[in-house]
Amino acid sequence: MNKNFRNGLIMLAAGFLSASCADYNVTDDFKAERDPSYVEPYKDLAPVKTYIDRSQYPNMSIGATLKVADFNKQELPHAAAITNFDNVAFGTSLMSGTIVNSKGVMNFLDMNDLLEHAEEIGCEVFGSPIVANANQANDWLATLTAPIEVSVDYVEGKSVDFTTMTTFDGTVEKGSASIAQYDGQNALKIGTGCNVRIVEGFDVDPHAIYTITFWAKADKDATFDVTFSGNKITGSGPNGKWTFKAGKWTKITVEAQSAEGETEGYLRIENSRSGVIYIQKVDVGYYPDNHRPQTEKEISDTIFYALNTWCDGLMKINEGRIKSFDLIDEAIDTKAVLDNGMYDIKHSTSDVIFWQDIFGSENYAPVVSKSAIAAFERHGGNTSELKFFISESELDNPKKLESLNYWIHIWDANGAKIDGINAKLNLSYSEDEATQAANVANFETLLSSLASTGKIIRLSNFDIKYLNASGVSVSAKDIKPEQRQKLADYYAYVIKSYMNKIPHDKQAGICKGNLADTNDPVGLWAIDINSKDWVRTATYKAFCDALSGK
């Protein structure tokens, strides 16, 4: 391992938050007091999480997804979440792509604030995916796996000495250039308005930086342009011109790289404005590209190092406080089919490195879980409390779920710790009866299939859109009370189906996507147009009723 790779970890962490949940009055009794059309029927309901019968459903939980900034500000979304839900999750916000910069500096300031406050108020946090294909520290991985600098020797190229010539056989593109007697010796004479290649006829290395040196003299101050192998080179004079003072031989040094796609080496002087310029000799040489690609073993060692470094930094700031994580996110590639008919694991088709490209599909989860477990234990975590999930979307596609289960069995056999599946939902309610019947049937099938895996099951991204009979989304501002009630009833159905179909000892709970309405009426709360206050919707009551078993 190149020692430079090991200098990439710098951690930033903040101190304790000074505010506590007692500093504001909505922690224990969050209530909406606006808009009577919503408030009056629901204002006396208790916090959502209190309706779960913990004796009957000991593992059931209800979670909320928040932005890190909303949680750390400790304002309305934070109050609603910690009052009504067992745990909070932060989507992709705590992944390496957000935390690690291109130099390997890990900024855990926001995460530290979050964890300190969550610990202070007794709020559980569900961890963002430890690895994935997206939201990774790609710039850091690219830096770590970049070509390595090596020592190279100067390569002498072509030299031309005009003092030994009597005729000039180079390429004159415009004007006149010839060998002439000047200052007691022969020299290349370049007339005003002349474009001439003063050296040419050599191959160029497209990656090399060339050094071209020539000696020039003129009776008047000279101003000219220089082009090297199709690439115009900027000088230090006005408008990027090259210049030298009259009356003495001046050494001109040009450092240049050829233009992209150019294979012929040459240096052209464009003497458009000066008087006559004389040149004695030209020397061309270069240092070859002083980088070499890393070997497969070096890249493998580097990516293993990066994983261990990331896991160590994450678990060091965590200090065992987050006990449930998505281990891997979105692993299945529905466009790549194995010989046995299962979908393959995603692999990179670009310059971006995916972890599994290095670890291999069959060892992807085993390698990641081993690194994460070791770091968790090293930094004070109790591994008996640690749970890892594989998160995946579109598992209502039977083949995708079957393929995920296939890979989980392989990873289990190879020593991975995989406790559960985090199924990311994409649900909608339709006013079209046939469509809605299909929605219900598909969800029932999904639950049965998830239950059959024998893994702990968590449902996340629990937002349901409302579609009219034509399949068009109904917005939060346009939805009618009777439509809102139908939507709430479907929320209740999903919750009760999960609690009934997933065995009680395999329930990890359901995590809400958005607490308040977005453009869609997905919230337990609507947002009052005038006051911007949150007001409880029928969905709030539906959650309470469903969780209580009604």
Side-chain angles (χ1 to χ4, degrees), residues 123-189:
C123 179
E124 293 183 2
V125 175
F126 187 89
S128 295
I130 294 174
V131 296
N133 308 316
N135 303 299
Q136 299 300 282
N138 292 327
D139 291 342
W140 181 45
L141 298 183
T143 298
L144 291 176
T145 57
I148 297 172
E149 288 189 11
V150 294
S151 298
V152 294
D153 295 325
Y154 183 78
V155 178
E156 294 185 358
K158 188 168 184 178
S159 294
V160 178
D161 187 350
F162 297 116
T163 66
T164 64
M165 296 182 180
T166 56
T167 59
F168 176 63
D169 60 359
T171 301
V172 181
E173 299 176 354
K174 178 183 177 183
S176 63
S178 62
I179 302 297
Q181 184 73 17
Y182 180 72
D183 200 21
Q185 62 186 340
N186 287 350
L188 175 62
K189 177 182 178 182

Side-chain angles (χ1 to χ4, degrees), residues 105 117 211 543-544:
V105 176
H117 181 57
T211 300
F543 266 66
C544 298

Side-chain angles (χ1 to χ4, degrees), residues 14-24 26-27 66-83 88 90 108-125 317-319 321-322:
F16 284 85
L17 285 170
S18 59
S20 74
C21 58
D23 291 331
Y24 52 92
V26 289
T27 302
L66 287 183
K67 295 178 181 179
V68 172
D70 285 341
F71 186 82
N72 284 345
K73 286 178 183 177
Q74 301 180 38
E75 294 178 350
L76 196 59
H78 167 277
I82 65 170
T83 302
V88 291
F90 298 95
F108 286 105
L109 293 172
D110 289 340
M111 185 173 177
N112 187 74
D113 286 354
L114 180 158
L115 289 175
E116 295 286 4
H117 181 57
E119 183 177 33
E120 180 185 10
I121 63 176
C123 179
E124 293 183 2
V125 175
I317 205 71
N318 181 41
E319 296 179 331
R321 291 174 288 194
I322 301 176

Side-chain angles (χ1 to χ4, degrees), residues 219-239:
D219 295 331
K220 298 179 180 179
D221 290 355
T223 300
F224 55 95
D225 290 307
V226 172
T227 298
F228 177 74
S229 295
N231 189 12
K232 189 171 183 178
I233 310 304
T234 301
S236 59
N239 300 317

Side-chain angles (χ1 to χ4, degrees), residues 488-523:
D489 291 342
Y490 192 41
Y491 269 107
Y493 159 77
V494 171
I495 294 170
K496 287 188 285 188
S497 294
Y498 170 83
M499 294 173 71
N500 292 330
K501 281 188 169 289
I502 302 299
H504 295 187
D505 63 339
K506 301 299 182 183
Q507 293 176 5
I510 300 175
C511 185
K512 189 73 178 69
N514 287 279
L515 298 184
D517 286 347
T518 59
N519 289 332
D520 294 302
V522 294

Side-chain angles (χ1 to χ4, degrees), residues 430-441:
S430 176
E431 289 182 345
D432 180 78
E433 292 184 4
T435 301
Q436 183 55 21
N439 290 339
V440 171

